[in-house]
């Protein structure tokens, strides 16, 4: 099936540093979603991207939908301790149709640790 | 505005027992998804519904798993009989018809089968 490769798998940074993570696929995606999961909680949607080339911000978070539709990145500026968690990229593959409509593929996640 | 609600948040049961997980989607959302999350396999889609009708259950691991959606505001995922390998976090998510690709997750039910 479709796979999303997220990198890096984990990051250890100091408070105040900027963070960058990305997600790539061998197939095109029509939508890119970025979720954050805190321990013991469900994934929370951070940013949704619907158009190739789209650049969207949500506070200190910025994400872009790659022009090739096969990648996306998420940047976090001036990290703070509450940014700690697992960040997932997700999306429906570009050829999704029929009963595949609405099915999301998830990356393996990037574990972010922020040291005060 | 209430998000997706799941209950219970934690469930510990013994092998062979029946387990029922519950979900209330966001009001007005007509798609509902059940996922399972484990360290080994990450997030896996089990089944999803549109307007209370199951559309794709190809992710349901075995006949021991069943899901129902009797109305627009309630769904259950049942495991009978439960086994230790069913231990995982089970999430429910919902979305609208116009944006099925943008799904909102509940807090999850952490299931431990002893």
């Amino acid at each position: 099936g479709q796979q999303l490769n997220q990198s890096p798998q984990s990051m250890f940074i100091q408070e105040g540093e900027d963070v960058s993570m990305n997600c790539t696929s061998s197939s095109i995606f029509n939508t890119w979603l970025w979720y954050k999961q805190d321990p013991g909680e469900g994934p929370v949607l951070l940013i949704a991207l619907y158009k190739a080339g789209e650049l969207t911000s949500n506070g200190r978070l910025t994400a872009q939908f790659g022009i090739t539709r096969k990648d996306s990145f998420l940047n976090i500026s001036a990290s703070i301790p509450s940014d700690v968690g697992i960040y997932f990229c997700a999306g429906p593959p570009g050829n999704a149709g029929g009963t595949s409509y609405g099915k999301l593929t998830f990356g393996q996640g990037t574990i972010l640790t922020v040291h005060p | 505005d209430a998000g997706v609600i799941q209950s219970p948040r934690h469930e510990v049961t013994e092998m062979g027992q029946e387990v029922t997980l519950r979900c209330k989607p966001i009001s007005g959302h007509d798609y509902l998804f059940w996922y399972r999350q484990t360290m080994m396999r990450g997030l896996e889609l089990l089944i999803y519904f549109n307007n209370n009708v199951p559309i794709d259950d190809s992710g349901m691991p075995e006949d021991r798993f069943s899901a129902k959606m009797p109305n627009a505001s309630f769904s259950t995922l049942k495991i009978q009989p439960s086994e230790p390998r069913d231990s995982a976090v089970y999430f429910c998510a919902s979305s609208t018809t116009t944006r099925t690709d943008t799904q909102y997750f509940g807090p999850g039910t952490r299931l431990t089968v002893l």
Side-chain angles (χ1 to χ4, degrees):
Chain A
Q2 307 292 344
Q3 281 194 316
L4 290 179
N5 297 308
Q6 267 187 261
S7 65
Q9 287 190 323
S10 61
M11 303 181 74
F12 297 84
I13 62 169
Q14 290 292 130
E15 183 177 359
E17 289 183 4
D18 296 343
V19 173
S20 185
M21 60 189 79
N22 66 70
C23 201
T24 60
S25 171
S26 57
S27 306
I28 61 171
F29 275 68
N30 291 327
T31 299
W32 284 96
L33 307 168
W34 285 94
Y35 288 89
K36 182 193 176 205
Q37 186 174 20
D38 290 329
E41 300 295 330
V44 173
L45 183 63
L46 299 174
I47 292 180
L49 302 160
Y50 301 114
K51 204 169 148 184
E54 181 180 352
L55 183 72
T56 297
S57 292
N58 178 7
R60 294 178 296 105
L61 277 61
T62 301
Q64 184 156 31
F65 192 143
I67 290 289
T68 64
R69 295 170 64 193
K70 293 183 179 181
D71 63 340
S72 177
F73 72 74
L74 175 71
N75 287 344
I76 305 172
S77 63
S79 58
I80 59 178
S82 62
D83 291 332
V84 164
I86 305 176
Y87 291 79
F88 292 98
C89 61
N95 58 355
T99 57
S100 294
Y101 186 66
K103 292 176 80 164
L104 295 181
T105 298
F106 281 83
Q108 318 96 303
T110 294
I111 301 171
L112 178 64
T113 303
V114 180
H115 294 288
Chain B
D1 197 14
V4 175
I5 298 172
Q6 290 187 248
S7 66
R9 292 294 311 273
H10 302 273
E11 176 82 36
V12 180
T13 190
E14 293 192 343
M15 184 172 66
Q17 296 297 306
E18 177 180 296
V19 174
T20 299
L21 313 180
R22 298 174 176 79
C23 174
K24 177 178 166 52
I26 293 172
S27 177
H29 283 195
D30 39 24
Y31 276 79
L32 184 140
F33 305 82
W34 281 102
Y35 288 86
R36 177 171 68 176
Q37 186 178 40
T38 61
M39 289 292 292
M40 291 296 294
R41 299 172 69 91
L43 270 162
E44 303 175 278
L45 178 65
L46 300 177
I47 184 171
Y48 77 93
F49 296 81
N50 175 219
N51 290 324
N52 315 337
V53 176
I55 302 300
D56 187 337
D57 64 355
S58 59
M60 297 283 263
E62 301 170 33
D63 290 345
R64 298 183 297 106
F65 286 68
S66 63
K68 293 183 180 177
M69 192 163 186
N71 58 62
S73 59
F74 183 66
S75 176
T76 59
L77 177 68
K78 188 176 291 188
I79 308 172
Q80 165 63 16
S82 57
E83 297 182 4
R85 62 194 165 119
D86 301 331
S87 297
V89 183
Y90 291 82
F91 291 104
C92 177
S94 70
S95 73
T96 63
T97 296
T98 50
R99 282 261 69 114
T100 58
D101 49 7
T102 307
Q103 298 173 17
Y104 297 86
F105 283 73
T109 295
R110 180 173 293 278
L111 173 65
T112 303
V113 183
L114 303 174

